Amino acid sequence: MADINLKEVTLIVGVVTACYWNSLFCGFVFDDVSAILDNKDLHPSTPLKTLFQNDFWGTPMSEERSHKSYRPLTVLTFRLNYLFSELKPMSYHLLNMIFHAVVSVIFLKVCKLFLDNRSSVIASLLFAVHPIHTEAVTGVVGRAELLSSIFFLAAFLSYTKSKGPDNSIVWTPIALTVVLVAVATLCKEQGITVVGICCVYEVFIAQGYTLPLLCTTAGQFFRGKSNIPFSMLQTLIKLIVLMFSTLLLVVIRVQVIQSQLPVFTRFDNPAAVSPTPTRQLTFNYLLPLNAWLLLNPSELCCDWTMGTIPLIESFLDIRNLATFIFFCFLGALGVFSLRYPGDSSKTVLMALCLMALPFIPASNLFFPVGFVVAERVLYVPSMGFCILVAHGWQKISNKSVLKKLSWVCLSMVIFTHALKTLHRNWDWESEYTLFMSALKVNKNNAKLWNNVGHALENEKNFERALKYFLQATHVQPDDIGAHMNVGRTYKNLNRTKEAEESYMMAKSLMPQIIPGKKYAARIAPNHLNVYINLANLIRANESRLEEADQLYRQAISMRPDFKQAYISRGELLLKMNKPLKAKEAYLKALELDRNNADLWYNLAIVHIELKEPNEALKNFNRALELNPKHKLALFNSAILMQESGEVKLRPEARKRLLSYINEEPQDANGYFNLGMLAMDDKKDSEAEMWMKKAIKLQADFRSALFNLALLYSQTAKELMALPILEELLRYYPDHIKGLILKGDILMNQKKDILGAKKCFEKILEMDPNNVQGKHNLCVVYFEEKDLLKAERCLVETLALAPHEEYIQRHLNIVRDKISSSSFAEQPVSPAGKTSGVEGDKIPTENVKEVSPTNY
């Protein structure tokens, strides 16, 4: 085996960079959304051990809705990306490109085991530029293929060194192979198939057996004519070790998925639920279809589910001919590689193994998978294809007549493949471009129409999105998800009647309950959301709350582990003023997911409704333990601490509000409540700063305007309060306390009796029984020296508030003045007590309304 040199590595890395540089400018699309954007396992706040308890998408493996794809090491690399660049896609795409270059270089080393140097470089170049790889390289979730392939090839290369002098066993490379197989499997499940390739290599390459020779040797042994050769015994020992380690990995894998296969629907893979022989004919046809994609990658599509490939329901279907020809060709290559000795047959055999064995888990032949065709799973099988092409080219180019033509054809293939890959990368720029490119290839897949609709929906282009969702229902009339999408879009367009009709249509398509059969196993978990969506729609009508509750309960009865149904029902029960039942619903949801910060937050809201602030605070704290950046928990727990009146809690409340404004720098409420805390602590300048920031963000912030004015009035800056009050009353002319404070400042500081009188009269126009306003108007009459009118006014005021001592005292003063002959000798006017708002703050206005949030 020749070593690879720097020139070859530079060439391959340069070609990969030239083909995939534009992938750096693509975003997160398709499955990236679930695996990256929505996956909490990427966040540093999530414990590392959680990565080994959840599937690739961040769902606990124990949950039935889990996809059962266990790839913790791949998720770990996503987490490292997040650590350096959070959710900026460029770094994720860059790492994928690097991994693809690494795979291409290692593949070159593998090729040199079976091909000459020139053919090895050609095979590696073809692999590097093949357009079928864009899904695995440009799609971020394709990293599972890339990482698994690195360790897959490394395991194989390690095993090739397990044969020592005189056919002895070298155990170190075998032990390393087992470790690398385990690592490859933790990146993606197909990594385990390298064991099969190692077994074939050991028997037919390392030991040089052919199938006839094996049959002869075995026949002689079973007839007792000879013993097993020592070299074969050595081979058997190595194979037993490999198979035992593989079996151990399989057992562990089965334990991880808790002996449950993932739930797929007929929409994901229609052939999987079809009867015999439709299922077998369709699945066998998929093999030549995948081979054709490798041979002619001109029409690539990101999604081949649903109606993309019509079922083969008859033996007379012309597509069966393609299946027959494919198996004939495959059989001919198999016979050649197994029957005849020589380097060529060995090369063909290893190429076939690389094509076939890694593809088995995705073939649907032994167990159903959640797709019909997926281009990314051809990443490793394409290695075998590239070796076959390079080997065939080598044979042709050795003939002088065809040498120039072979070079021209090869150059054209590599150049056109590179251009196709470069162009294909732009399809992955956004979800809209990706799914629109897919619709050019396949218009019979309702999922593609739905996904274009989703892309437009994310851009708030609901009218256009609706057209695509409706087209999805025409392409696949029984697609529950499409009807749900139509309903949701109608709701966004405020067309509630049509939305309800669409949800009802989706609900009518749900499978009927079959006695004795587990319902959850027959339906995709997300389809049960039709009950949630319909209930959420109709509960906006107060008269239909019980009907909505019935829908939530129906969803729970169908799937007792349906966490979202408990959450939504808890919100509804709070709305129905049934906090104890809401508490039961949230506790049930917490049994299913105790690490859900949103659930602890919602339970805290229930305790607030139950007037249990201490319990509420405990649950807020639990939510923040799970997610220290939970914005609502930060804000509302700080408000709860502030309202408690406990001085010792104020520093923590301030800390949480500071964290909140760091997360939500544009929310004026955070700054306002920091101002209120500062006022509690008598930190006037700090309070002023926070109030001004709140008003800068929200000019009409009612409470901030009033309390800033109040702060000025309390700190002998009454004249600075006046323009703030003018602004407040411009937005809220009926703000009574603002009018009282303004009137007080006008009368006591500006000596503007007339202006103050207008303020108090306006208050009484709005609220004739307002004691404070009426009393202050009485003081205005006193200042105007209309003592009789002031007396009548105070009598009326005392009748409204007979227990207010200061009104009685002021009335006595006025009566004394009336009876006195010397007006000037009387005590000073009580105008200083007019407002009655000194030191007043309005805590009812500084608390953000708290309500359970729909997650």
Side-chain angles (χ1 to χ4, degrees), residues 312-379:
I312 299 178
E313 299 176 311
S314 168
F315 287 101
L316 299 178
D317 194 308
I318 191 66
R319 290 174 292 172
N320 291 321
L321 182 60
T323 305
F324 177 74
I325 294 172
F326 171 79
F327 278 108
C328 287
F329 181 71
L330 195 66
L333 288 176
V335 169
F336 168 76
S337 62
L338 292 171
R339 185 176 180 83
Y340 302 104
D343 291 341
S344 182
S345 60
K346 290 178 181 179
T347 300
V348 172
L349 177 62
M350 292 310 298
L352 290 176
C353 287
L354 277 169
M355 286 179 69
L357 294 180
F359 186 72
I360 286 175
S363 66
N364 281 291
L365 295 177
F366 299 99
F367 49 84
V369 293
F371 53 83
V372 180
V373 173
E375 292 163 13
R376 62 181 176 273
V377 303
L378 293 174
Y379 190 76

Side-chain angles (χ1 to χ4, degrees), residues 823-849:
F823 183 87
E825 294 176 3
Q826 293 303 315
V828 178
S829 163
K833 296 291 289 182
T834 56
S835 73
V837 295
E838 287 88 344
D840 183 25
K841 296 201 298 267
I842 311 177
T844 56
E845 293 193 62
N846 71 2
V847 181
K848 184 179 180 181
E849 183 180 351

Side-chain angles (χ1 to χ4, degrees), residues 628-631 634 658-666:
K629 294 184 178 181
H630 194 292
K631 291 180 283 192
L634 283 169
L658 288 171
S659 297
Y660 177 76
I661 63 172
N662 186 53
E663 293 297 314
E664 286 287 344
Q666 299 303 311

Side-chain angles (χ1 to χ4, degrees), residues 718-719 722 739-760 772-784 829-836:
E718 290 88 347
L719 296 181
L722 273 179
L739 288 166
I740 289 174
L741 184 56
K742 181 183 176 183
D744 178 57
I745 294 172
L746 287 174
M747 183 153 56
N748 291 310
Q749 303 300 321
K750 299 274 289 184
K751 307 303 180 183
D752 182 358
I753 305 299
L754 183 60
K757 185 176 184 180
K758 288 179 180 178
C759 290
F760 300 139
Q772 217 168 18
K774 194 167 184 66
H775 167 266
N776 290 355
L777 185 60
C778 300
V779 176
V780 169
Y781 295 149
F782 180 87
E783 292 292 329
E784 292 178 336
S829 163
K833 296 291 289 182
T834 56
S835 73

Side-chain angles (χ1 to χ4, degrees), residues 43 129 191 199 311 316-317 355 401 488 539 570 675 710 729 738 754:
H43 300 172
V129 304
C199 291
L311 298 174
L316 299 178
D317 194 308
M355 286 179 69
V401 179
R488 186 181 61 256
R539 78 183 197 184
L710 185 61
L729 294 170
L754 183 60

Side-chain angles (χ1 to χ4, degrees), residues 212-225:
L213 181 58
L214 275 178
C215 292
T216 301
T217 304
Q220 289 177 349
F221 172 74
F222 286 118
R223 288 197 298 270
K225 293 183 179 181

Side-chain angles (χ1 to χ4, degrees), residues 668-669 672 694-695 698-706 728 732 845:
N669 288 287
F672 169 70
I695 295 167
Q698 185 181 333
D700 62 345
F701 197 151
R702 176 185 176 120
S703 298
L705 288 165
F706 175 73
L728 170 69
Y732 307 101
E845 293 193 62

Side-chain angles (χ1 to χ4, degrees), residues 395-656:
K395 294 291 185 183
I396 295 172
S397 64
N398 286 338
K399 298 179 180 180
S400 57
V401 179
L402 300 174
K403 187 171 184 178
K404 288 185 178 179
L405 181 62
S406 66
W407 273 105
V408 170
C409 291
L410 177 68
S411 301
M412 287 292 293
V413 167
I414 292 178
F415 181 70
T416 55
H417 276 37
L419 284 181
K420 172 68 176 176
T421 298
L422 191 66
H423 181 265
R424 173 70 172 152
N425 288 336
W426 289 122
D427 291 342
W428 294 79
E429 184 178 14
S430 68
E431 294 215 313
Y432 180 76
T433 57
L434 178 64
F435 297 124
M436 285 302 291
S437 72
L439 280 177
K440 294 175 184 176
V441 176
N442 171 30
K443 290 182 170 58
N444 296 321
N445 186 341
K447 191 173 178 182
L448 294 176
W449 293 100
N450 279 321
N451 284 333
V452 174
H454 287 309
L456 293 168
E457 187 180 34
N458 291 336
E459 296 173 0
K460 307 299 181 185
N461 194 339
F462 298 121
E463 291 287 354
R464 284 189 65 199
L466 181 61
K467 293 177 182 178
Y468 283 90
F469 290 142
L470 287 171
Q471 182 62 29
T473 64
H474 295 148
V475 171
Q476 187 91 31
D478 58 350
D479 181 6
I480 296 171
H483 290 285
M484 289 169 62
N485 292 335
V486 171
R488 186 181 61 256
T489 310
Y490 275 134
K491 181 183 178 183
N492 288 330
L493 292 169
N494 295 318
R495 295 165 63 177
T496 54
K497 182 181 179 182
E498 292 96 328
E500 184 172 349
E501 289 172 355
S502 297
Y503 285 142
M504 291 300 293
M505 173 60 75
K507 183 170 172 285
S508 70
L509 293 170
M510 298 283 284
Q512 299 301 308
I513 295 176
I514 301 174
K517 188 169 183 181
K518 193 175 181 182
Y519 189 89
R522 298 182 296 112
I523 187 167
N526 64 309
H527 283 174
L528 275 176
N529 283 326
V530 67
Y531 293 94
I532 305 298
N533 293 349
L534 182 57
N536 289 346
L537 179 70
I538 67 175
R539 78 183 197 184
N541 185 339
E542 295 288 338
S543 65
R544 302 182 70 182
L545 297 182
E546 289 293 343
E547 187 181 345
D549 189 35
Q550 175 62 31
L551 286 166
Y552 292 136
R553 285 185 279 126
Q554 188 175 354
I556 291 169
S557 68
M558 291 177 172
R559 195 179 187 93
D561 65 344
F562 193 10
K563 179 178 65 182
Q564 186 58 48
Y566 292 107
I567 295 173
S568 297
R569 184 166 186 247
E571 295 169 5
L572 176 67
L573 290 168
L574 271 180
K575 186 175 181 179
M576 297 170 71
N577 198 26
K578 297 179 180 179
L580 289 175
K581 287 189 175 182
K583 181 180 177 182
E584 289 176 12
Y586 287 135
L587 288 174
K588 183 64 179 178
L590 281 168
E591 290 177 15
L592 299 170
D593 184 6
R594 295 196 66 81
N595 294 321
N596 189 319
D598 297 331
L599 276 174
W600 289 103
Y601 169 79
N602 285 3
L603 188 58
I605 301 303
V606 173
H607 284 294
I608 287 176
E609 294 292 325
L610 292 171
K611 311 299 182 188
E612 297 172 351
N614 291 334
E615 287 299 314
L617 190 56
K618 288 179 184 177
N619 287 302
F620 280 138
N621 292 340
R622 178 64 177 144
L624 291 169
E625 286 173 15
L626 293 168
N627 180 8
K629 294 184 178 181
H630 194 292
K631 291 180 283 192
L632 289 171
L634 283 169
F635 184 87
N636 288 307
S637 63
I639 300 307
L640 199 60
M641 292 175 178
Q642 185 180 0
E643 287 183 331
S644 71
E646 294 186 37
V647 177
K648 64 180 181 181
L649 293 179
R650 287 179 190 166
E652 180 62 23
R654 185 177 186 276
K655 180 181 174 183
R656 293 188 183 186

